[in-house]
Amino acid sequence: MSEKRRFNFGAATGIGSLPGEDAQEAARTAVGSFETFAFLPELPARGPGADMIGRTAGLLVEMYARVEPSGWRLGDRPGRDTRRAHSWLRQDLDALEEHTQGYQGQLKVQAVGPWTLAAALELRNGEAVLSDPGASRDLTGSLAEGLRDHLAELGRRVPGAEIVLQLDEPSLTAVLRGQVRTASGYRTHRAVDRQVVEAGLREAIGVHDGPVVVHSCAPDVPFALLRRSGVAAVSFDFSLLTERDDEVIGEAVEDGLRLFAGVVPGTDAPLSDPAGSVMGVRTLWRRLGLHPGLLPEAVTITPACGLAGATPGYARKALAQCVRAATSLADNPE
């Protein structure tokens, strides 16, 4: 095993976003659905500042962003959009604190990772931060400092929890492949060197002494790069895996990397029986030649992606399905 530490993750959890605008109801759902692996919910339906980019932009230290017609753009000073992001986050933290009195277990908090943030935030000229290596480094440093403060506050509010940091990186593969479009839409930004990407991830991961998960529900998740960067787990949409991923996933599991397998649809869809939800995971294990008894130690069950686009009733059912599917996997790994 590499120097990466092994962590005993819970059997099931959510991704982060939930439908609706009620922070109290969201906290009740996120905590009540999982006895030992709750999460801080995000409610993007409330509008700018509650979306994943705006929420994370609000965490930045000495960097500020505002909403423009084209998206979030860096500015000189905090404005109403920054204040709104701070307000939404305080509401969510207050609700979480209320519903985690006496909580003992893992508690996951999500933020956008440095490369997806650099691909989404604009410089003053309208181009992505990604277009400027110096600005990208400054953004990563600001994010790291903001994450450090955010994690400390969460630890004060829920002192009995083991905090798990999740970095959302859905644009990571596009950054590595040079597929992020310029402001004109006619060109793409140059691919970022893999060593530079890895260094940026390491800086963000390094702010937390506990386990860090990187989540992407995009195709072709770079498992090998993430493993080298030092994350404890990778969260992904299981339906997007192909057999060409087998070798790198097998190596990652043997190296101690945890898989957060997104097997429950993120939007309203018919749900199979719990065993059916994890049938593909069992098939993958057999294909890799891994011992079935390793499954509960290596896999956490989640929705395929965030649940913001689901109905509230389905979102609750999906989280409950994750718990039942994880139990099925533990009780009958073969």
Side-chain angles (χ1 to χ4, degrees):
M1 191 184 83
S2 72
E3 64 183 16
K4 181 181 351 56
R5 290 173 292 170
R6 291 182 184 269
F7 293 93
N8 295 317
F9 286 102
T13 190
I15 293 299
S17 66
L18 291 175
E21 303 180 25
D22 187 334
Q24 288 288 332
E25 177 60 26
R28 188 179 299 112
T29 298
V31 176
S33 298
F34 304 102
E35 291 184 6
T36 60
F37 204 170
F39 63 97
L40 174 65
E42 303 165 356
L43 299 173
R46 293 181 297 196
D51 62 296
M52 61 185 286
I53 299 300
R55 185 181 183 93
T56 300
L59 297 177
L60 297 174
V61 175
E62 297 183 358
M63 294 183 80
Y64 312 102
R66 64 180 185 272
V67 177
E68 297 286 343
S70 55
W72 285 89
R73 181 173 297 181
L74 293 177
D76 295 323
R77 59 184 64 86
R80 64 177 184 179
D81 297 320
T82 299
R83 290 192 293 272
R84 186 162 44 207
H86 290 167
S87 177
W88 292 138
L89 182 57
R90 278 196 303 273
Q91 284 188 25
D92 293 340
L93 289 170
D94 289 345
L96 182 76
E97 184 175 4
E98 181 177 336
H99 289 278
T100 51
Q101 296 298 309
Y103 179 78
Q104 300 284 329
Q106 291 176 319
L107 177 62
K108 183 164 64 65
V109 58
Q110 304 80 218
V112 177
W115 295 108
T116 294
L117 197 62
L121 282 180
E122 298 174 357
L123 297 167
R124 291 170 181 81
N125 64 6
E127 290 295 350
V129 172
L130 187 70
S131 66
D132 184 328
S136 295
R137 286 192 296 271
D138 291 344
L139 180 65
T140 299
S142 175
L143 174 63
E145 192 171 346
L147 285 173
R148 192 175 288 110
D149 293 342
H150 185 40
L151 293 166
E153 180 177 4
L154 195 61
R156 289 191 295 271
R157 286 175 175 263
V158 193
E162 177 191 7
I163 307 298
V164 176
L165 172 61
Q166 176 179 302
L167 297 175
D168 293 323
E169 283 283 13
S171 298
L172 184 58
T173 300
V175 168
L176 289 164
R177 293 181 175 176
Q179 295 172 338
V180 177
R181 293 202 169 275
T182 59
S184 69
Y186 295 118
R187 296 184 300 109
T188 57
H189 293 291
R190 184 178 302 174
V192 181
D193 183 87
R194 299 181 81 85
Q195 290 184 333
V196 174
V197 170
E198 188 176 327
L201 287 169
R202 282 186 177 276
E203 184 173 352
I205 291 164
V207 306
H208 187 38
D209 291 334
V212 178
V213 181
V214 168
H215 167 71
S216 173
C217 48
D220 299 322
V221 175
F223 286 95
L225 183 146
L226 293 172
R227 178 166 62 96
R228 290 194 306 271
S229 71
V231 300
V234 176
S235 171
F236 57 96
D237 181 345
F238 190 85
S239 70
L240 298 179
L241 288 186
T242 66
E243 290 194 21
R244 69 173 179 267
D245 297 308
D246 282 5
E247 183 177 352
V248 70
I249 288 178
E251 291 174 353
V253 170
E254 290 176 348
D255 194 37
L257 191 76
R258 182 87 174 191
L259 304 180
F260 280 37
V263 299
V264 177
T267 53
D268 292 43
L271 295 175
S272 68
D273 62 283
S277 290
V278 289
M279 184 184 304
V281 179
R282 292 190 179 99
T283 301
L284 171 66
W285 233 242
R286 286 195 294 270
R287 207 164 62 229
L288 295 177
L290 295 171
H291 191 280
L294 181 64
L295 267 170
E297 299 175 17
V299 176
T300 293
I301 299 300
T302 73
C305 208
L307 294 167
T311 60
Y314 176 82
R316 289 189 292 270
K317 290 178 183 176
L319 296 180
Q321 179 79 351
C322 290
V323 174
R324 290 193 293 266
T327 300
S328 171
L329 200 61
D331 290 347
N332 184 20
E334 299 190 55

